């Protein structure tokens, strides 16, 4: 059975010039497009927040971007406003080959909870529906690429492994934010979870 390529959050706001730019985020677009040819299914995720999303520092008095707060569902990094529904920042990078996508999965659309993972919101229990989609299509092997390695890619990969999928993260086709050592931690955690790296 062929594998699914899951392309995480290849959106303008995560690329240079965007609101939450990941260094080198745009460098991986061509490689991701090329990788689509090897996959039996291509799935794109799209971070998709209302303008008053709780993950935005702008929604909290006296808080600055990159600070961490205790949300009801656990620690939450406060981000600059990004990927606001319908905005240019939320659009896919213009060179990403979106025509190959079988499914575009939006996440983070509920105001009161963030969703890094493509599988669960940040309470780690509210499903996005992606697990059912993959299982009903018989897709058990997953390749993950995209942005950011240490947040949405890592959270998606760890959830996928926990759900029993066979997961590989192609780090050359990912770029990270690296907040207080989050890159090294994410790679270690993924390896410990049995995820193939590289
Ligand atoms: C992401 C922070 C906030 C990501 C999304 O795609 O990794 N990071 N929203
Ligand atoms: Zn977000």
């Amino acid at each position: 059975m062929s594998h699914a390529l899951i392309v995480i959050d290849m959106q303008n706001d995560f690329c240079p010039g965007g609101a939450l730019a990941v260094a080198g985020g745009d460098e991986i677009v061509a490689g991701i497009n090329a990788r689509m040819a090897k996959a039996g299914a291509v799935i794109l995720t799209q971070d998709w927040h209302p303008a008053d999303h709780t993950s935005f520092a702008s929604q909290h008095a006296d808080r600055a971007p990159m600070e961490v707060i205790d949300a009801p569902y656990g620690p939450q990094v406060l981000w600059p406003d990004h990927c606001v529904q319908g905005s240019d920042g939320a659009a896919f990078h213009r060179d990403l080959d979106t025509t190959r996508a079988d499914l575009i999965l939006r996440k983070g659309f509920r105001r009161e909870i963030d969703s890094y993972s493509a599988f669960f919101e940040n309470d780690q229990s509210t499903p996005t529906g992606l697990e059912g989609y993959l299982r009903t299509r018989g897709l058990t092997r997953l390749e993950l690429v995209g942005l950011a390695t240490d947040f949405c890619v890592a959270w998606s990969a760890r959830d996928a492994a926990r759900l029993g999928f066979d997961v590989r993260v192609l780090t050359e086709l990912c770029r990270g934010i690296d907040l207080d050592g989050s890159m090294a931690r994410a790679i270690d955690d993924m390896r410990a979870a049995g995820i193939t790296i590289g």
Side-chain angles (χ1 to χ4, degrees):
M1 193 66 205
S2 64
H3 69 269
L5 180 69
I6 303 184
V7 180
I8 305 289
D9 298 2
M10 283 304 303
Q11 295 164 261
N12 291 326
D13 269 344
F14 297 122
C15 290
L20 180 37
V22 180
D26 54 343
E27 294 167 4
I28 59 178
V29 176
I32 290 174
N33 289 342
R35 197 79 194 173
M36 291 178 183
K38 297 189 196 318
V42 175
I43 293 151
L44 310 179
T45 70
Q46 191 171 26
D47 212 36
W48 194 252
H49 300 308
D52 57 353
H53 194 248
T54 187
S55 78
F56 296 170
S58 63
Q59 299 303 303
H60 302 265
D62 304 320
R63 295 288 183 178
M66 307 305 177
E67 283 183 30
V68 181
I69 60 162
D70 286 315
Y73 49 84
Q76 171 70 51
V77 180
L78 295 178
W79 303 106
D81 293 17
H82 66 278
C83 296
V84 172
Q85 295 169 355
S87 68
D88 186 56
F92 290 113
H93 187 287
R94 73 161 69 76
D95 296 330
L96 186 71
D97 183 6
T98 60
T99 58
R100 264 293 270 122
D102 294 349
L103 175 73
I104 296 175
L105 182 100
R106 289 176 171 164
K107 61 187 182 61
F109 48 76
R110 290 196 179 90
R111 188 185 68 79
E112 52 311 322
I113 187 164
D114 207 357
S115 186
Y116 294 152
S117 167
F119 291 91
F120 294 100
E121 306 205 358
N122 282 13
D123 60 4
Q124 295 177 44
S125 63
T126 306
T128 63
L130 182 57
E131 179 190 5
Y133 179 88
L134 294 168
R135 290 209 197 284
T136 51
R137 284 195 58 182
L139 295 158
T140 58
R141 288 195 300 123
L142 312 180
E143 258 184 23
L144 271 66
V145 297
L147 303 171
T149 318
D150 42 348
F151 287 91
C152 291
V153 175
W155 284 53
S156 299
R158 281 192 277 120
D159 281 343
R162 177 162 63 90
L163 291 169
F165 291 95
D166 179 353
V167 188
R168 179 169 181 192
V169 173
L170 303 172
T171 45
E172 284 185 7
L173 295 178
C174 298
R175 292 291 183 276
I177 295 173
D178 205 12
L179 195 64
D180 297 325
S182 56
M183 265 305 255
R185 251 193 334 270
I187 300 289
D188 285 351
D189 289 351
M190 288 193 282
R191 282 220 172 87
I195 295 159
T196 305
I197 303 291

